[in-house]
Amino acid sequence: MFTKEQLEGILIALARPQIAIAQNVRHSTGYKIKLSVEIRATNREFLALLQETLQEYGIDSYLKEIEKKSRPYPVLRITNADNLINLFQLIPNIPKHCVNFDSFLEAVTLFSNRHHLTQKGLNKMLEIKGLL
């Protein structure tokens, strides 16, 4: 188990927020949005211990043994808006150099309030991702 301070440092150093926007005609805006945070490491035991620590804080995640053929290392993924909000609450003082954390938190808020299902919300998500 990691201490809260260790966990905060690990998240600042290794957590990589991901916003995936894909065309999907089944959605009202024509696009599907997926949010996740990925933590990569070559040591599976480290990620398993991190997953256990996150579980203690009520954050569900899943550990994939091999991400894909071109990246044959394990990856820990955190999805679900509630889990993502809880994850960022573990980092009370986000350093200024982590600009992508602030914008990702804004995207998670839009997602959890279901604003991403409107055209205005989709445009905001595209703006956050840097596509507009």
Side-chain angles (χ1 to χ4, degrees):
M1 296 288 294
F2 294 109
T3 66
K4 186 167 172 73
E5 292 79 18
Q6 289 172 325
L7 183 59
E8 185 178 340
I10 291 168
L11 293 175
I12 289 170
L14 298 178
R16 299 289 174 252
Q18 306 287 325
I19 301 173
I21 301 174
Q23 214 170 6
N24 189 326
V25 294
R26 292 184 180 173
H27 291 266
S28 59
T29 59
Y31 292 90
K32 182 176 182 169
I33 299 172
K34 289 183 182 180
L35 303 176
S36 66
V37 169
E38 295 180 349
I39 301 171
R40 292 181 178 89
T42 56
N43 188 330
R44 188 207 174 286
E45 290 77 27
F46 169 76
L47 291 177
L49 186 58
L50 181 59
Q51 182 180 32
E52 192 177 305
T53 305
L54 290 172
Q55 187 66 43
E56 290 291 320
Y57 287 98
I59 299 170
D60 294 325
S61 61
Y62 61 96
L63 181 60
K64 192 170 179 184
E65 296 295 324
I66 295 175
E67 187 173 359
K68 55 186 176 181
K69 275 187 175 182
S70 61
R71 286 189 192 156
Y73 298 110
V75 63
L76 183 68
R77 283 198 179 102
I78 302 154
T79 57
N80 184 314
D82 294 333
N83 286 327
L84 293 170
I85 289 171
N86 290 340
L87 179 74
F88 282 97
Q89 287 176 349
L90 293 175
I91 311 170
N93 301 314
I94 297 174
K96 293 185 191 224
H97 70 275
C98 295
V99 177
N100 59 345
F101 280 17
D102 287 334
S103 59
F104 185 75
L105 194 52
E106 184 180 355
V108 171
T109 304
L110 282 171
F111 193 85
S112 67
N113 292 333
R114 305 186 57 80
H115 293 298
H116 69 290
L117 299 174
T118 65
Q119 189 61 45
K120 186 178 177 183
L122 174 64
N123 289 343
K124 186 65 178 167
M125 284 286 203
L126 290 169
E127 185 180 313
I128 290 169
K129 186 162 170 75
L131 298 175
L132 271 185

